[in-house]
Amino acid sequence: METQPVTPREPVLIIKDLAVRLPDSAERIHAVNQVSLEVFPKEILCVVGESGSGKSVTAHSVMGLLPENQLKTEAGSISVLGEPIIGASPKRLRQLRGNRMAMIFQEPMTALNPVMPLGRQIEEVLTEHRDMSSHDRKNRVYELMDAVNLPDNKNLFRSYPHEISGGQRQRVMIALALALEPALLIADEPTTALDVTTQQQILNLIKDIQKNRDTGVLFITHDFGVVAEIADRVIVMKDGIIVEQGKTENVLGHPKDDYTAMLIDAVPSLIPKSRPANPGKEIAISTKSLEKIYKTKSLFGRRRTVKAADDISFDIRRGETLGIVGESGSGKSTVARCIARLINPTAGEIRVNNTNIAEISERAYRPLRKHIQIVFQDPYRSLNPRQTVGRAIAEGPMNYGLGRAEASERTRTLLKLVGLDTDAMSRYPHQFSGGQRQRICIARALAMEPDVLVADEPVSALDVSVQAQVLELLKTLQSKLDLAILFITHDLRVAAQVSDNIAVMYHGKIVEHGPTKTIFENPKHEYTKRLFNAAPGKMWDFN
């Protein structure tokens, strides 16, 4: 019997020569220009690039979600399962969304309705697009929750977004996207803010969906560990154009474009470098049996007690960095906020310059606050949008008695130190990129001439190239100023490169603590092993 040739399957998504024009006031003409790509069934195509490269504009163009009067499709075509998207009526686009194509957004808390129970939000999709009885709809919601491994479905059905974890919210978003079994799934940075174990679960879930449901996946990310973990093919974008594309192993292993090579070189290695101990250096900060207990009361009078930090003890010497790693909810940020006295600890000691700052009043602590400064994850939310950069940096020293002229001179010096021009003093936060805003936040913290810098996820939202620049800046500043740094992160690659010592937190406790190289090479605790095994792209050393 003659064997019939295998016919290649048709793509679920075809984009040809797409060009989207930016407003006239923008720095360049096009958000994307001459972008062409295809996504096939059972395939994951990853699109990578820095902020502003055009990744998300491409994804939103497919969904018909470009903001009106801001971005205009100037040329090209987009088709999903052969049907044109550009020019489709709003009514037809609503029919296609969910049925043929669906999108998982980066931040589920803003994508979900805060005043509607989660089950009802999933059910709403079925009500809009399917003729089903109420009983069948509810059963379908439970099936979808099971499919994305959500626990305790009946309680979750009645829960609200703020009552569940970030990882669970992202699973709800995936259940929403899968409700109508679309042929194309677009995932726009769906794991950026998640810890490594939750990230691994979400990536495994997306891989299972892609394999078992014939789904084509367009995955937008700037995380090369994620690319190495899940991608069949990779597209690299820069300034709105595609600069390189190919199979994952070829692009990551043998990049042809200089920009691709630069991005890959900027990815931190999971292999820590040997770091000499500094036993002679003075201890800048130490904690002993630090504890923080939260007591909450629900609308129905139920009381809940959570020990967010339990028996936390460590020392950080001048010029050293202690990295704290762990999942969301492990207590990392609670420890950081206790140390910066943004919240008051329940018990224990925090010693700075031989003073136990945990037991003194806010009034007594105020003169000491300059010794410990903090840099937060989101620099845009950290800066006052109505305050110039110069004022933001000079305000702290002036509040502690420094004259305006001296504070301005210190501001100019610090801006140069963090790699920014002094003309930035008269500008506002929205006029800078994310990486530049984080440099401003670092300058503002250093303006107080602290002994200890607390960095709470300071680079998790940044592109790999900008992340590398900020980490190198922190390293240089630490060397110059002999800073002690407490570095909170869920990115094990970053922790491996910046930390002299590592503390692993789990359910509010430090379960493992020691030199970074020792713990990475020979973890003892089962949780630490599980955490390290979950790191995306762990088998691929980018450096």
Side-chain angles (χ1 to χ4, degrees):
M1 184 177 180
E2 187 177 347
T3 304
Q4 294 293 322
V6 177
T7 304
R9 303 192 68 179
E10 290 296 315
V12 294
L13 170 67
I14 300 174
I15 301 177
K16 286 186 177 179
D17 299 324
L18 179 66
V20 176
R21 190 178 182 89
L22 287 164
D24 293 338
S25 59
E27 294 180 353
R28 64 176 193 255
I29 297 173
H30 293 101
V32 297
N33 194 22
Q34 295 186 319
V35 167
S36 298
L37 61 84
E38 295 178 338
V39 180
F40 289 85
K42 290 183 178 288
E43 179 188 48
I44 298 180
L45 172 66
C46 275
V47 181
V48 297
E50 297 174 289
S51 297
S53 63
K55 309 186 301 293
S56 291
V57 170
T58 302
H60 284 76
S61 296
V62 175
M63 294 295 294
L65 295 175
L66 292 180
E68 293 182 16
N69 304 322
Q70 294 183 42
L71 298 176
K72 182 180 179 182
T73 304
E74 196 174 65
S77 64
I78 302 172
S79 63
V80 176
L81 294 180
E83 181 167 350
I85 299 298
I86 296 173
S89 67
K91 180 180 179 180
R92 183 55 183 156
L93 283 174
R94 283 196 298 272
Q95 292 170 342
L96 292 174
R97 294 181 196 128
N99 277 304
R100 294 194 182 181
M101 56 187 183
M103 191 164 184
I104 307 166
F105 296 94
Q106 178 176 351
E107 181 42 70
M109 195 62 178
T110 57
L112 294 168
N113 188 334
V115 296
M116 182 185 287
L118 296 164
R120 296 299 179 196
Q121 296 194 49
I122 302 173
E123 191 177 15
E124 187 178 43
V125 178
L126 300 171
T127 304
E128 183 71 23
H129 293 277
R130 293 286 187 269
D131 184 14
M132 301 170 71
S133 68
S134 175
H135 179 267
D136 288 344
R137 283 198 307 269
K138 201 165 188 176
N139 284 339
R140 175 61 177 155
V141 172
Y142 289 144
E143 286 176 11
L144 289 163
M145 287 181 168
D146 285 335
V148 297
N149 301 318
L150 281 166
D152 196 7
N153 290 348
K154 286 186 169 54
N155 280 331
L156 204 69
F157 191 100
R158 299 188 295 270
S159 298
Y160 291 87
H162 71 275
E163 296 179 309
I164 62 175
S165 70
Q168 288 175 329
R169 284 194 290 267
Q170 198 60 284
R171 289 170 187 271
V172 172
M173 284 296 301
I174 295 172
L176 272 162
L178 294 179
L180 305 176
E181 299 188 353
L184 173 67
L185 182 64
I186 301 174
D188 189 5
E189 300 274 14
T191 61
T192 296
L194 303 178
D195 55 68
V196 288
T197 49
T198 307
Q199 188 179 60
Q200 184 190 49
Q201 293 165 5
I202 297 297
L203 294 178
N204 287 341
L205 180 58
I206 290 174
K207 285 193 287 187
D208 289 343
I209 291 164
Q210 166 246 341
K211 289 177 182 175
N212 300 331
R213 294 174 179 257
D214 243 17
T215 306
V217 179
L218 182 66
F219 198 105
I220 312 293
T221 184
H222 64 248
D223 188 330
F224 276 85
V226 170
V227 173
E229 190 80 19
I230 68 166
D232 297 301
R233 290 188 298 120
V234 182
I235 281 177
V236 183
M237 293 188 70
K238 179 179 184 289
D239 295 335
I241 63 172
I242 294 174
V243 297
E244 186 163 355
Q245 59 182 307
K247 291 184 177 180
T248 304
E249 58 270 24
N250 294 335
V251 173
L252 296 187
H254 308 283
K256 295 177 180 177
D257 190 87
D258 289 343
Y259 177 72
T260 309
M262 181 275 292
L263 290 179
I264 293 171
D265 287 342
V267 180
S269 172
L270 266 171
I271 302 171
K273 298 173 184 176
S274 295
R275 292 169 176 262
N278 295 314
K281 290 278 185 94
E282 106 182 69
I283 294 174
I285 186 168
S286 67
T287 68
K288 185 177 181 182
S289 303
L290 184 67
E291 185 179 282
K292 178 62 184 178
I293 297 174
Y294 290 106
K295 293 182 179 179
T296 59
K297 186 177 179 181
S298 72
L299 291 172
F300 306 103
R302 289 178 299 202
R303 295 184 179 276
R304 185 170 176 235
T305 299
V306 176
K307 191 173 278 191
D310 184 11
D311 194 24
I312 304 298
S313 301
F314 57 75
D315 299 332
I316 311 178
R317 297 181 182 274
R318 285 191 170 278
E320 282 188 349
T321 299
L322 172 66
I324 298 186
V325 298
E327 298 169 289
S328 297
S330 63
K332 306 187 304 293
S333 291
T334 295
V335 170
R337 282 161 171 73
C338 282
I339 285 171
R341 278 297 297 269
L342 298 179
I343 56 176
N344 293 322
T346 307
E349 296 182 2
I350 306 169
R351 290 201 171 272
V352 180
N353 295 335
N354 295 318
T355 301
N356 181 11
I357 63 172
E359 64 181 12
I360 61 179
S361 68
E362 176 59 34
R363 180 186 290 270
Y365 177 61
R366 199 168 295 146
L368 302 174
R369 187 173 287 281
K370 63 181 180 181
H371 294 294
I372 303 175
Q373 291 294 298
I374 189 165
V375 179
F376 294 100
Q377 177 176 351
D378 187 344
Y380 194 68
R381 290 172 61 190
S382 303
L383 294 166
N384 185 337
R386 297 180 179 180
Q387 194 175 59
T388 63
V389 164
R391 177 67 183 173
I393 297 172
E395 184 177 38
M398 289 173 64
N399 287 342
Y400 278 80
L402 198 67
R404 185 178 298 275
E406 293 92 335
S408 294
E409 183 57 35
R410 185 181 292 184
T411 299
R412 281 189 284 271
T413 300
L414 285 167
L415 284 171
K416 290 177 184 175
L417 198 61
V418 299
L420 293 173
D421 293 330
T422 54
D423 63 4
M425 290 177 66
S426 60
R427 295 161 65 191
Y428 290 86
H430 73 274
Q431 295 174 293
F432 297 88
S433 69
Q436 288 172 325
R437 284 196 290 265
Q438 197 60 289
R439 288 170 182 266
I440 292 164
C441 288
I442 292 169
R444 181 179 62 175
L446 295 179
M448 301 303 296
E449 298 183 339
D451 301 307
V452 180
L453 185 67
V454 179
D456 189 4
E457 300 276 11
V459 295
S460 63
L462 303 179
D463 302 314
V464 286
S465 57
V466 180
Q467 181 186 82
Q469 293 166 12
V470 172
L471 293 177
E472 186 60 32
L473 171 64
L474 284 172
K475 181 181 175 183
T476 302
L477 294 173
Q478 182 179 44
S479 177
K480 282 184 178 180
L481 306 174
D482 213 20
L483 280 171
I485 298 179
L486 178 68
F487 198 102
I488 311 291
T489 184
H490 65 251
D491 190 328
L492 295 176
R493 292 180 180 275
V494 169
Q497 296 307 308
V498 304
S499 308
D500 297 286
N501 297 294
I502 286 282
V504 182
M505 288 194 67
Y506 181 55
H507 288 175
K509 288 181 174 288
I510 292 178
V511 297
E512 196 155 0
H513 181 200
T516 303
K517 191 171 178 64
T518 301
I519 289 182
F520 268 78
E521 290 180 351
N522 189 24
K524 302 292 186 186
H525 198 275
E526 284 304 313
Y527 173 72
T528 309
K529 295 175 184 177
R530 192 163 75 244
L531 197 68
F532 289 177
N533 285 334
K538 58 186 175 295
M539 302 306 293
W540 193 291
D541 187 16
F542 292 91
N543 303 105

